[in-house]
């Protein structure tokens, strides 16, 4: 019966390909947070906000948790570093606000954001005209700088944790397998023209790829080891480093910056403090104006209505499809149903943790521009009163699977839960083990190892169940869902033809509503088959001084201070 349903689903999706094959610009980037608006992106490179007053002398002091390990856009993987890089470099596009306060993208290093042109072979080409900005040493920013940066990002020799951001660019897979960066379909036919060809349509290319710190331009002729030497760093962004010493980085707006008149802050001062309590104290003393990462004591005093900042991170259980001991779908579903997520969250003792209601956390946008989790609805009911019914359902599933006595359960063989060893994870693993034993009679062995060993064993498929933290590198549901698609580095322990069909149609679909529907179905399939069991989401904490307003966040950990306004209390 299940095979017949899968076949029917596949046939339906094949026919749906016709419905999704609109023009290349049908599914444009929808870049406001208003889910009722489908396309309000300002692609001209100008804001629709009111003209600000002079920014001369406007300074904001920002306190981050640590100095970045690298100032290389391709290699940075830290939230703190990404926030800094977003102000020091200018990519093709940037985040802004429209007149109604909605988040939007506008052109940055490009003069405007182009529409993709579909080619006869199904590829899509974007042609960006650069505005001709300057590097911090006065040299003109050229299209060849973007070519070099994108080739370097895709190059396996760079070992960038962000390389997959370019997976939709034609030639990316060839570069990853051969190391020949010339295969990446990016070019600079003219000094101020940057051309990118995608393998197929990508609904989030402009909003998630062209705004990412990792895709910002890099000068090929910079001194050796420039990533570790701020004095050797050439930047092209709204702010230039004027000083970096004694744990303080000061960056100011150069007179040559094209959008200088729209920036509210003329100077950013980044301060780095590893101790959360000290960061919080600095804010209370008005020595800094913004803090990323409040102390646990401060968070404990927040009202019950307080919620963490959006961040695309989820703690989840992965089940290896190749593990014969968990081949029964009924067993996998039962294991998920009996979990008490409220109890797990309580063990973390963190206000940053919220119960998972699906794989995709809140803050991730759908193609329509709304919140994916809100618009698609919850896939799991975490109401304590619902747990009793869920466990009764689990018992029924175990009976259907013929797994109700010790001998049948023993016949499954060894079931091991792999996790990264630390105090909190050990408590979580023990609670899961005890729950499966008490509710299902299933004996699970715990295996706590280093984070590197967890990554190695999951990548090689040497696990039964793994408790892992997953993070999206883009503000789109595809960022997490892609990890189970065939051909992805992370998806080698899972295969589903129906899932690949859903993801394939979603990737190439030109209709925004249809694309969202396929992504929702893909997420639901992962959870209903029991191969993925989300436990909880982890957000971030931050605070902006009440003297300021206008902070922008991108939903994936980035904070933007260019448009922060100091309120007039007079």
């Amino acid at each position: 019966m299940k095979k017949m349903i899968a076949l029917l689903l596949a046939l339906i999706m094949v026919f749906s390909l016709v419905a999704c094959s609109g023009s290349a610009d049908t599914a444009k980037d929808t870049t406001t947070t208003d889910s009722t608006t489908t396309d309000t992106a300002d692609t001209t490179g100008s804001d629709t906000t009111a003209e600000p007053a002079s920014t001369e002398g406007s300074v904001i002091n920002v306190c981050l948790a640590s100095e970045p390990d690298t100032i290389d856009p391709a290699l940075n993987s830290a939230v703190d570093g990404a926030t800094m890089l977003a102000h020091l470099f200018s990519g093709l596009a940037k985040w802004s606000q429209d007149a109604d306060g909605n988040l939007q993208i506008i052109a940055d290093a490009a003069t405007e954001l182009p529409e993709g042109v579909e080619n006869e072979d199904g590829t899509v080409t974007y042609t960006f005209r650069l505005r001709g900005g300057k590097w911090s040493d006065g040299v003109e920013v050229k299209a060849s700088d973007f070519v070099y940066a994108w080739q370097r990002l895709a190059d396996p020799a760079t070992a960038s944790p962000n390389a997959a951001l370019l997976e939709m660019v034609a030639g990316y897979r060839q570069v990853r397998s051969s190391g020949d960066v010339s295969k990446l379909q990016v070019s600079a036919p003219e000094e101020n023209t940057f051309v990118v060809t995608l393998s197929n349509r990508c609904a989030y290319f402009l909003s998630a790829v062209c705004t990412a710190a990792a895709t910002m331009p890099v000068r090929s002729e910079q001194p050796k080891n420039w990533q570790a030497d701020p004095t050797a760093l050439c930047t092209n962004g709204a702010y230039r480093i004027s000083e970096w010493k004694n744990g303080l980085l000061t960056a100011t707006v150069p007179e040559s910056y094209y959008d200088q008149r729209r920036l509210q802050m003329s100077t950013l001062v980044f301060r780095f403090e590893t101790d959360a309590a000290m960061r919080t104290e600095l804010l209370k003393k008005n020595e800094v104006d913004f803090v990323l990462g409040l102390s646990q004591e401060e968070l404990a005093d927040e009202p019950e209505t307080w919620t963490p900042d959006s961040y695309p991170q989820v703690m989840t259980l992965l089940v290896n499809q190749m593990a014969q001991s968990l081949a029964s779908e009924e067993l996998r579903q039962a294991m998920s149903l009996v979990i008490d997520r409220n109890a797990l969250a309580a063990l973390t003792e963190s206000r940053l943790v919220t119960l998972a209601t699906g794989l995709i956390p809140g803050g991730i946008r759908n193609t329509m521009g709304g919140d994916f989790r809100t618009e698609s609805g919850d896939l799991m009911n975490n109401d304590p009163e619902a747990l009793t019914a869920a466990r009764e359902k689990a018992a029924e599933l175990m009976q259907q699977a013929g797994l109700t006595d010790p001998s049948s359960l023993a016949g499954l063989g060894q079931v091991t839960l792999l996790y990264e060893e630390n105090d909190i994870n050990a408590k979580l693993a023990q609670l899961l083990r005890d729950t499966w034993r008490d509710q299902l009679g299933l004996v699970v062995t715990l295996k706590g190892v280093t984070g590197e060993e967890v990554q190695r064993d999951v990548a090689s498929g040497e696990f039964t169940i793994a408790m892992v933290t997953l993070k999206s590198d883009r503000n789109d549901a595809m960022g997490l869902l892609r990890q189970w698609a065939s051909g992805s580095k992370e998806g080698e322990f899972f295969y589903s033809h129906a899932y690949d069909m859903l993801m394939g149609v979603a990737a190439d679909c030109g209709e925004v509503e249809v694309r969202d529907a396929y992504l929702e179905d893909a997420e639901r399939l992962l959870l209903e088959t029991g191969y993925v069991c989300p436990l909880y989401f982890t957000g971030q904490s931050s605070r902006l001084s009440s003297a300021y307003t206008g902070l922008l966040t991108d939903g994936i950990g980035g904070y933007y201070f260019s448009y922060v306004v100091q309120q007039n209390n007079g």
Side-chain angles (χ1 to χ4, degrees), residues 70-389:
T70 177
I71 47 180
D72 185 336
L75 296 181
N76 174 74
S77 60
V79 170
D80 308 73
T83 294
M84 279 181 51
L85 292 172
H87 294 86
L88 299 177
F89 288 85
S90 285
L92 296 168
K94 67 179 180 180
W95 290 103
S96 180
Q97 278 183 327
D98 64 16
D100 297 322
N102 293 316
L103 197 64
Q104 65 173 4
I105 58 164
I106 60 174
D108 195 7
T111 58
E112 62 180 4
L113 299 181
E115 294 181 351
V117 177
E118 187 167 354
N119 306 310
E120 290 184 1
D121 61 356
T123 60
V124 179
T125 297
Y126 286 82
T127 302
F128 297 89
R129 309 294 179 185
L130 304 187
R131 64 175 72 252
K134 294 186 181 297
W135 290 100
S136 49
D137 61 357
V139 175
E140 195 85 3
V141 176
K142 300 177 181 179
S144 57
D145 297 323
F146 279 93
V147 171
Y148 171 72
W150 286 40
Q151 288 180 337
R152 180 172 175 268
L153 177 60
D155 188 351
T158 304
S160 170
N162 310 301
L165 276 171
L166 298 183
E167 63 186 357
M168 74 294 297
V169 179
Y172 171 81
R173 292 191 183 278
Q174 291 90 325
V175 174
R176 300 298 290 178
S177 61
S178 69
D180 182 358
V181 298
S182 67
K183 294 182 180 297
L184 193 71
Q185 296 298 296
V186 294
S187 63
E190 298 175 355
E191 194 171 85
N192 288 327
T193 303
F194 178 54
V195 180
V196 183
T197 297
L198 309 186
S199 299
N200 48 260
R201 282 181 293 262
C202 179
Y204 57 84
F205 175 65
L206 294 177
S207 62
V209 178
C210 295
T211 60
T215 62
M216 293 175 178
V218 173
R219 285 266 293 280
S220 61
E221 67 275 17
Q222 293 189 84
K224 187 177 181 180
N225 297 325
W226 58 269
Q227 305 95 323
D229 182 6
T231 63
L233 179 66
C234 282
T235 62
N236 72 318
Y239 295 87
R240 306 259 169 96
I241 298 175
S242 56
E243 186 177 61
W244 192 348
K245 64 180 182 181
N246 300 325
L248 293 176
L249 185 155
T250 302
T252 57
V253 180
E255 292 183 1
S256 61
Y257 184 63
Y258 78 95
D259 208 22
Q260 180 190 25
R261 64 192 177 90
R262 296 186 183 277
L263 301 181
Q264 300 288 352
M265 290 291 133
S266 64
T267 303
L268 303 180
V269 179
F270 290 100
R271 180 168 181 166
F272 309 100
E273 174 56 61
T274 58
D275 184 77
M278 180 61 72
R279 290 195 297 271
T280 305
E281 189 64 22
L282 289 171
L283 183 66
K284 291 182 176 180
K285 291 181 177 179
N286 295 320
E287 294 184 27
V288 298
D289 307 304
F290 172 85
V291 165
L292 178 58
L294 298 168
S295 66
Q296 290 296 328
E297 293 76 14
E298 188 70 13
L299 291 177
D301 291 335
E302 292 287 355
E304 290 186 7
T305 55
W306 180 88
T307 57
D309 297 347
S310 298
Y311 191 61
Q313 183 169 296
V314 54
M315 175 69 86
T316 189
L317 298 175
L318 305 180
V319 176
N320 189 347
Q321 192 180 49
M322 301 299 109
Q324 290 302 309
S325 56
L326 297 180
S328 168
E329 182 172 315
E330 291 84 1
L331 172 58
R332 297 192 302 272
Q333 291 175 343
M335 293 176 69
S336 176
L337 285 169
V338 298
I339 293 174
D340 184 349
R341 290 175 177 80
N342 287 278
L344 290 173
L347 288 176
T348 69
E349 299 182 345
S350 173
R351 292 291 303 274
L352 301 180
V353 166
T354 56
L355 306 182
T357 52
L359 177 65
I360 310 301
I364 295 292
R365 298 195 321 277
N366 62 13
T367 319
M368 294 288 291
D371 185 273
F372 183 93
R373 185 75 282 135
T374 301
E375 298 293 331
S376 63
D378 295 342
L379 298 182
M380 297 181 295
N381 185 353
N382 293 310
D383 189 328
E385 295 182 0
L387 184 59
T388 299

Side-chain angles (χ1 to χ4, degrees), residues 325 406-413:
S325 56
S407 60
S408 60
L409 288 165
L412 295 173

Side-chain angles (χ1 to χ4, degrees), residues 477-507:
M478 192 73 77
L480 284 169
L481 295 175
R482 58 172 285 278
Q483 300 182 57
W484 285 269
S486 295
S488 71
K489 179 181 178 182
E490 303 91 339
E492 296 179 358
F493 54 83
F494 174 82
Y495 172 76
S496 166
H497 180 65
Y499 187 80
D500 284 347
M501 289 288 289
L502 287 167
M503 293 295 288
V505 176

